[in-house]
Amino acid sequence: MGAAAAALDYDAELMLRVKEGDGASFGVLLDKHRSSVVHFLYRMVQNHAVAEELAQEVFLRVYRSRASYEPTAKFTTWLFRIATHLALNALRDTKHERSQEHLDDDTSEMPVRQISDSRPSIEQYMVYQARLAEIRQAIGTLPEKQRAAVLMHKYEEMEYSQIAKVLSCSESAVKSLLFRAYETLRARLAHMA
Amino acid sequence: MKCPIETRESAEVLLAYCARKLDAARTGILEEHIRICPVCREFADAQRAVWEALDAWEAAPVSADFDRRLYRRIENEVGWLDLLLRPLRPWVARNALPIAAAVAVVLTAGVLLDRPAAAPPAPEESAQVESLQPEQVEKALDDMQVVREFHRLVRPDPGAPLM
C-alpha cells in the first residue's frame, strides 16, 4: 500500500470516527489540514480575513456532513472540493469589487521573509515586497480554474487525477489548464530568474 | 531524444521536470537534451523561474484563535437546536402518551378530510338526451298528430266542407 493510500485510509478512518461521534478525531483532521486549507484559500482570494472565514465554512461543512459521510474518495479531494467551491463562489460574488488597489493593499498581511540575513535591510524588504506583489498579481489575473489548478499542483503537490476530481473535470482538461496557466506565468514572471 | 517542446503532451515532461517530479532516469535523459536544445533550455529556465517565484510566496500563518472560533460556531449550531427543544423536553417526557394519541387523531382527521370529493352528478339535460329512444320520439309525434286531428274535429274550419 502506497503512502497516498495509507493517508486516504487514515483521514477517512478519522472522518468515520467523527461520524460515530468522536469529536477528538475531528480535532486531528483540523490540525492536519487547517494550514493547507487556509493557505490555499488565501492564495485563491488573496485576502487573509476572507480566507479564514471561508476555511471556517469549509470545516463547518465537513462537520455538518459527518452523518452522511461515505469514504468514496480521498478525504483531501472532498475537502479541497468544498474549499474550491467556496473560493470560486466568493470570487464570483466579489468580482466587481476587486481591483488592483485591493491586491496591493493586502501586502501588509504578508510575513516578512528572511532573505539572507536574520534582519533584512529596508531595500531587501522593499524588493521582496515588490516581487511578491508581482507574483500575486500574476496569479490573481489567471482565470479562476487555472488559478485553483496551479495552486493545488504547486503548493498541495496534488496529482493531475486528484486535481481533476476536485475540479470535476477530466485529467486532460487539468493538463490543459495547467499548461495555459504556466504559459501565462512564464510570460509574466520569467524575468525574475 | 525527441524534443519535448514540440507537443503539449510532451511538454508535460518539462513541467514535471521543473516541478522536480520526474524520476532520476528520465531527469538524466531530459537534462542531456536540454544541454543541446536551446528551445527546451529556455522553456526550462523560464519554468524554473516561475517555480522559484511561487516558492517565495509564503502565506500568512493561521490566526491563533481559528480553532476557538470554529468550535464556537459548531457549538452555536448544536446550541440553537438544543435551545429550541430544551423547554419542551420535560413536558414531552411527562405527556408522551397523550401527545402520541393527539398526533394520531390529527393525522387520521387529516387523512379523512383529505379524501377526494365525490364526482359531481351528470347534468340532467344530458341524462334526458341519453334516455330518449327512437320509438319514444315516434310515439310522441303520433300523439301530437292525434291531438291535432282531435282539435280539427272539435273546432272545424268554417270554410271547410263537413264530412
Side-chain angles (χ1 to χ4, degrees), chain A residues 56-72:
Chain A
Q56 294 253 324
E57 188 59 34
V58 171
F59 286 106
L60 203 58
R61 287 190 185 193
V62 167
Y63 189 79
R64 277 187 203 138
S65 309
R66 66 195 183 285
S68 58
Y69 176 75
E70 292 297 335
T72 50

Side-chain angles (χ1 to χ4, degrees), chain A residues 16-133:
Chain A
L16 288 171
R17 282 189 218 157
V18 176
K19 185 180 182 174
E20 286 160 13
D22 179 11
S25 292
F26 181 75
V28 177
L29 281 170
L30 180 60
D31 256 355
K32 203 173 165 200
H33 300 291
R34 181 200 306 109
S35 294
S36 56
V37 169
V38 172
H39 291 170
F40 169 74
L41 288 166
Y42 168 70
R43 290 184 175 111
M44 278 298 286
V45 299
Q46 305 208 358
N47 179 299
H48 192 67
V50 173
E52 285 210 352
E53 191 54 37
L54 292 173
Q56 294 253 324
E57 188 59 34
V58 171
F59 286 106
L60 203 58
R61 287 190 185 193
V62 167
Y63 189 79
R64 277 187 203 138
S65 309
R66 66 195 183 285
S68 58
Y69 176 75
E70 292 297 335
T72 50
K74 200 172 173 179
F75 177 79
T76 47
T77 303
W78 180 49
L79 187 69
F80 275 86
R81 193 181 293 165
I82 300 171
T84 305
H85 175 76
L86 289 172
L88 294 179
N89 279 351
L91 287 169
R92 278 169 205 151
D93 290 347
T94 59
K95 208 163 203 168
H96 61 286
E97 294 167 16
R98 277 178 284 133
S99 64
Q100 187 48 48
E101 286 73 32
H102 171 76
L103 290 174
D104 290 341
D105 284 346
D106 205 30
T107 52
S108 57
E109 293 175 355
M110 297 303 300
V112 176
R113 191 172 182 233
Q114 309 299 303
I115 294 174
S116 56
D117 190 10
S118 58
R119 285 160 56 174
S121 67
I122 190 72
E123 288 84 6
Q124 283 175 311
Y125 177 73
M126 286 175 74
V127 167
Y128 173 66
Q129 288 299 338
R131 281 168 63 99
L132 270 187

Side-chain angles (χ1 to χ4, degrees), chain A residues 43 52 64 110 154-155, chain B residues 54-55 58 63 69 77:
Chain A
R43 290 184 175 111
E52 285 210 352
R64 277 187 203 138
M110 297 303 300
K154 170 71 184 94
Y155 297 102
Chain B
L54 295 179
D55 275 336
E58 293 170 12
S63 303
R69 283 187 286 138
E77 287 209 353

